[in-house]
Amino acid sequence: MSVLPDLHLHYVQACQNLSQPENPFIARVLQEADKNDEISTKGITLKLAGNNHLVPVPRVTDDDLGVLVSVLGQAAFVTGLDLAYNVLTDAGAKTMATFLQENSTLRYLNLMFNDIGTSGAELIAEALPRNESLVHLRMTGNKIGNQGGMFFASMLKINSTLEKLDLGDCDVGLKCLIAIAIALTQNKSLKAINLNRPLLSTQQEESAVHIARMLRSNSSLVELHLGKHEMKNFGVERLCEALYGNSSLRYLDLSCNNITCDGVKFLGELLKRNQTLEILDLNANRIEDVGAIYLSEALLTWNRTLRALSIVSNNITGKGLVALAHTMQFNTQLSHIYIWGNKFDKNTRVEFSELIETGRLKPGCTDVTPYRVDGEVFLAELSHGLAKHRYWVPRCATVAPGAANASLEIVAVSEY
C-alpha cells in the first residue's frame, strides 16, 4: 500500500534514522513532488539528473541513494526515476538492484553517465528478471565494458518486461554485441535498443552480420541504434537483406558510420519495397550527391511510409539536396528532414525556403530556417534533430514530446 504523498517529510525522517546528512537537491525535488496534486493518481518521475540546473547542485551519491530508496519503498506513485549525470558507483548499483527486486511500480530508470562499472552492471542485470514493472532502462555512458554488457545479454534471455534498453557509450565489445543479437532472437518483449559506440577491434563487420541475422527472426524490435559502429557498405548490405523480411522495425539509426553512396544504394532499394521503416538516421556518413539521389528516387515514386530522414553532414551539395526537396513536394508522408552540415548553394536555399514558407515543411520538423539579407535567402541552423534529447532533456516541459525528438513517440513506454 502506498503512503500519502509526503515524500519530503519521509526523506527528512529517513536521513535522521540513518544518520545521513540531507542532500538539498533531493529535498527540493521531493518538496516539488509533494505539491503535485495528481501525484497519487497519475504517478510521477522524480527528476534528479545532475546536469540540467542553472545553479550547481550537489550530485546524488551512493549514500544519498540509500536514503532515497528507503523513502520510495512505499511510494507506489513514483513510476520514474531520473538519476542521470550523478556520481553513483557500483555500491549505488547494488542499492538500486535491491530496490528493483523489491519494487513493483517503477517503470522508468535513468542511470546514464554515472560511474557504474562491470560489477554494478552485473547486479542490476541480475535484478531485472525478478522485476516485473520496469519497461525502460538507460545505462548510457557507464563504462560497464564488454563483460558488463554480457550480463545484460543474459538478462534479455529471461526478462519479459523490459521494452527499452540503452547501452550506448558503454564500451561494450564484439562478444557483447553478438550475445545481445542472439538473445534478441528469443526475446519477444524488447522494442528498442541503443548499441551506439561499441569498442570494436576488427574491421570485418561481424556485428552487422549477427545483428542482420537477428533481424530476420525478430518480430518485436521497433527501434535500433547502431551509431559509431564503423559500419561500411558491406554491413549496410547485410542489414538491408535482413530487413526485406522484417515487418516490425520502424526506426533505424546508422549515424556516424562509414557509409558511402554504394551503401545507400542498398537502402534505396530497401525503401522501394519496405512498408515498415518510418525513421532513417544517416547523420555523419559520406553518402554525397549520388546517395542523396538514390534516396530521393526511392522516396519519390515507391516509398510512402518513411516519416523522418536525417542526412546531416554527408558532403551533399545542391544537386542532391534539391533532389530531396523536389521529392518532398510529392511525397507528403515524409514530414521530417534534417540537412545541416552539407554544402548549400543558392538553389538549395531557395527550395528549402519555399518548403518552409509554404508550410510543406514545418519549422519544428527540420534543422534549418530561412532568413534574407539584401533580398537573398539564406538558411540558418536550428537545434533540431533525431537525437536532440538523447543526452539531455530540460526539466521544464517546454518541448512537445514528438517534436524533433529521438524516436518521434514511436515507442511510447515512458516519459522520455
Side-chain angles (χ1 to χ4, degrees):
M1 181 177 177
S2 173
V3 298
L4 293 175
D6 201 350
L7 293 172
H8 179 249
L9 176 61
H10 287 88
Y11 176 68
V12 172
Q13 293 173 344
C15 287
Q16 295 173 350
N17 295 337
L18 297 171
S19 300
Q20 173 68 24
E22 293 182 33
N23 183 315
F25 173 37
I26 296 177
R28 187 173 74 248
V29 170
L30 296 182
Q31 284 178 321
E32 293 174 357
D34 287 334
K35 297 175 184 177
N36 189 334
D37 295 333
E38 299 178 339
I39 185 174
S40 59
T41 56
K42 291 187 176 181
I44 61 166
T45 294
L46 294 181
K47 299 178 181 179
L48 293 163
N51 72 322
N52 56 359
H53 304 269
L54 295 176
V55 178
V57 296
R59 302 197 177 194
V60 179
T61 66
D62 296 331
D63 292 335
D64 292 329
L65 182 63
V67 180
L68 180 62
V69 297
S70 70
V71 174
L72 300 181
Q74 300 298 319
F77 43 80
V78 177
T79 56
L81 191 55
D82 184 353
L83 291 165
Y85 296 98
N86 284 296
V87 288
L88 302 177
T89 67
D90 290 337
K94 182 177 181 180
T95 301
M96 183 55 64
T98 302
F99 177 67
L100 288 173
Q101 293 181 57
E102 300 170 351
N103 182 275
S104 60
T105 59
L106 198 70
R107 292 175 55 81
Y108 170 65
L109 175 61
N110 187 349
L111 296 172
M112 66 187 293
F113 289 100
N114 278 276
D115 297 320
I116 299 172
T118 300
S119 60
E122 179 181 10
L123 293 168
I124 291 174
E126 289 180 348
L128 288 177
R130 303 183 183 94
N131 179 285
E132 297 182 353
S133 63
L134 196 71
V135 293
H136 188 179
L137 173 63
R138 300 199 67 183
M139 292 294 295
T140 327
N142 290 287
K143 305 308 179 184
I144 66 175
N146 191 70
Q147 187 58 48
M150 292 290 285
F151 293 122
F152 280 99
S154 299
M155 175 273 298
L156 289 173
K157 295 180 180 180
I158 306 172
N159 182 280
S160 59
T161 306
L162 200 65
E163 296 183 12
K164 296 185 77 170
L165 175 62
D166 193 337
L167 296 178
D169 302 278
C170 283
D171 289 358
V172 302
L174 178 60
K175 289 184 178 179
C176 172
L177 295 178
I178 294 174
I180 288 176
I182 294 173
L184 291 181
T185 60
Q186 307 170 22
N187 186 293
K188 305 301 181 185
S189 61
L190 199 73
K191 295 181 179 179
I193 189 165
N194 183 349
L195 298 172
N196 285 350
R197 206 206 66 117
L199 298 184
L200 302 175
S201 58
T202 174
Q203 297 291 321
Q204 300 302 314
E205 299 188 82
E206 294 102 321
S207 60
V209 173
H210 285 273
I211 290 171
R213 188 175 299 163
M214 175 271 294
L215 289 172
R216 293 179 186 275
S217 58
N218 184 288
S219 60
S220 58
L221 200 64
V222 175
E223 181 176 332
L224 175 62
H225 296 271
L226 300 174
K228 301 179 183 178
H229 271 239
E230 300 183 22
M231 190 181 301
K232 297 180 262 311
N233 300 329
F234 173 82
V236 175
E237 184 178 8
R238 301 287 82 76
L239 291 177
C240 290
E241 289 173 352
L243 289 174
Y244 281 116
N246 182 291
S247 59
S248 63
L249 194 72
R250 290 190 278 170
Y251 184 178
L252 178 60
D253 176 5
L254 299 176
S255 60
C256 304
N257 282 294
N258 297 320
I259 302 169
T260 69
C261 58
D262 292 332
V264 176
K265 185 175 182 180
F266 300 119
L267 286 169
E269 292 300 317
L270 173 68
L271 289 174
K272 291 179 181 180
R273 293 167 52 183
N274 182 280
Q275 300 299 316
T276 309
L277 206 61
E278 295 184 23
I279 302 177
L280 178 59
D281 191 348
L282 293 171
N283 167 39
N285 281 283
R286 296 181 292 126
I287 74 172
E288 302 181 324
D289 286 337
V290 176
I293 291 172
Y294 282 141
L295 293 174
S296 65
E297 290 174 348
L299 295 170
L300 178 64
T301 308
W302 302 86
N303 185 282
R304 288 296 182 272
T305 56
L306 198 73
R307 294 166 49 200
L309 173 66
S310 177
I311 49 169
V312 172
S313 299
N314 266 277
N315 198 33
I316 305 171
T317 69
K319 183 179 179 181
L321 294 170
V322 168
L324 286 167
H326 286 166
T327 296
M328 291 201 71
Q329 294 176 358
F330 296 95
N331 185 337
T332 57
Q333 185 65 24
L334 185 63
S335 59
H336 294 65
I337 188 166
Y338 307 99
I339 64 171
W340 188 258
N342 292 295
K343 300 177 180 179
F344 301 161
D345 60 5
K346 182 176 181 179
N347 290 334
T348 302
R349 300 194 299 265
V350 170
E351 291 287 345
F352 277 91
S353 175
E354 290 181 356
L355 287 174
I356 295 169
E357 290 175 350
T358 59
R360 168 62 187 89
L361 186 56
K362 305 296 183 183
C365 298
T366 186
D367 56 353
V368 294
T369 185
Y371 68 97
R372 283 177 168 78
V373 177
D374 296 333
E376 186 173 354
V377 66
F378 294 90
L379 296 175
E381 183 183 14
L382 295 176
S383 60
H384 293 170
L386 293 176
K388 181 177 181 180
H389 299 309
R390 182 173 294 163
Y391 295 105
W392 178 80
V393 178
R395 292 189 74 222
C396 54
T398 58
V399 181
N405 211 339
S407 54
L408 300 182
E409 296 182 295
I410 276 188
V411 189
V413 298
S414 74
E415 184 171 355
Y416 302 127

